[in-house]
């Protein structure tokens, strides 16, 4: 089994409010070849608390990569991305938008906010798992990620 950065498990933050998509993502990472710790939060406010180490997330690790849904309660994915990119310590953390939206304006807006990639969630569970595993292979095996500045 491969490891994340520096031989440690890859730290992945999944920001997703749909329990079915969370379950499929967990399953895909469990079946994958990369040693990882998958952290899950359900809305944009919780995501920012995790990223900025506030409240119950004071000891949260800095993620190697963030998988971000756009349609979230309390704060949407665009707002999370905007706050991340405005912060010195989080601006270089790779963010992959993983959403059901195929709307061109969502794609454009995500890239304007400096998302690193935009993936549309397939409806079919088998295809969904395949997309997540492709993401895992590319982003955690091939791409060199920046190290977090804690």
């Amino acid at each position: 089994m491969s490891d994340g950065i520096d031989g440690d498990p890859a730290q992945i933050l999944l920001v997703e409010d749909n329990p079915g998509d969370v379950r499929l993502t967990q399953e895909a990472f469990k079946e994958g070849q990369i040693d990882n710790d998958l952290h899950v939060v359900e809305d944009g406010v919780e995501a920012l608390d995790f990223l900025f180490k506030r409240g119950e997330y004071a000891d949260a690790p800095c993620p190697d990569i963030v998988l971000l849904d756009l349609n979230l309660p309390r704060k949407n994915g665009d707002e999370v991305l905007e706050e991340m990119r405005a912060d010195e310590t989080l601006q270089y953390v790779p963010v992959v938008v993983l959403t059901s939206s195929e709307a061109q304006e969502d794609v454009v807006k995500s890239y304007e906010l400096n998302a690193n990639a935009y993936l549309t969630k397939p409806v079919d569970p088998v295809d969904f798992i395949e997309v997540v595993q492709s993401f895992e292979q590319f982003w955690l095996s091939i791409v060199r990620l920046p190290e977090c500045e804690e």
Side-chain angles (χ1 to χ4, degrees):
M1 197 172 280
S2 298
D3 291 329
I5 295 172
D6 295 334
D8 295 327
Q11 300 297 316
I12 302 164
L13 176 60
L14 173 63
V15 187
E16 174 60 69
D17 63 323
N18 180 321
D21 289 348
V22 169
R23 196 170 52 255
L24 284 172
T25 304
Q26 289 170 325
E27 188 179 317
F29 278 116
K30 206 174 288 178
E31 290 177 11
Q33 301 301 309
I34 311 293
D35 189 17
N36 69 79
D37 291 332
L38 183 64
H39 307 274
V40 181
V41 295
E42 297 177 356
D43 65 52
V45 171
E46 210 179 340
L48 291 169
D49 286 348
F50 185 101
L51 291 162
F52 287 104
K53 302 175 186 292
R54 298 187 290 231
E56 67 180 286
Y57 299 107
D59 295 326
C62 181
D64 294 311
I65 196 157
V66 175
L67 277 173
L68 180 65
D69 189 17
L70 291 182
N71 305 310
L72 298 166
R74 301 204 291 166
K75 269 192 192 266
N76 68 35
D78 289 340
E79 292 170 302
V80 171
L81 191 50
E82 199 166 359
E83 287 195 41
M84 285 182 69
R85 295 309 186 224
D87 183 80
E88 256 181 43
T89 59
L90 296 173
Q91 67 181 341
Y92 299 115
V93 173
V95 176
V96 174
V97 173
L98 181 61
T99 188
S100 55
S101 173
E102 293 185 23
Q104 186 61 29
E105 59 267 20
D106 287 340
V107 175
V108 170
K109 176 98 188 247
S110 293
Y111 283 116
E112 284 176 349
L113 293 171
N114 296 312
N116 297 86
Y118 189 103
L119 301 174
T120 302
K121 297 177 195 172
V123 176
D124 180 83
V126 173
D127 292 342
F128 185 97
I129 288 173
E130 212 171 89
V131 164
V132 172
Q133 288 178 335
S134 296
F135 151 85
E136 177 187 43
Q137 181 64 31
F138 179 75
W139 283 99
L140 301 177
S141 288
I142 299 170
V143 172
R144 180 164 177 170
L145 299 173
E147 289 185 28
C148 268
E149 294 177 21
E150 302 272 353

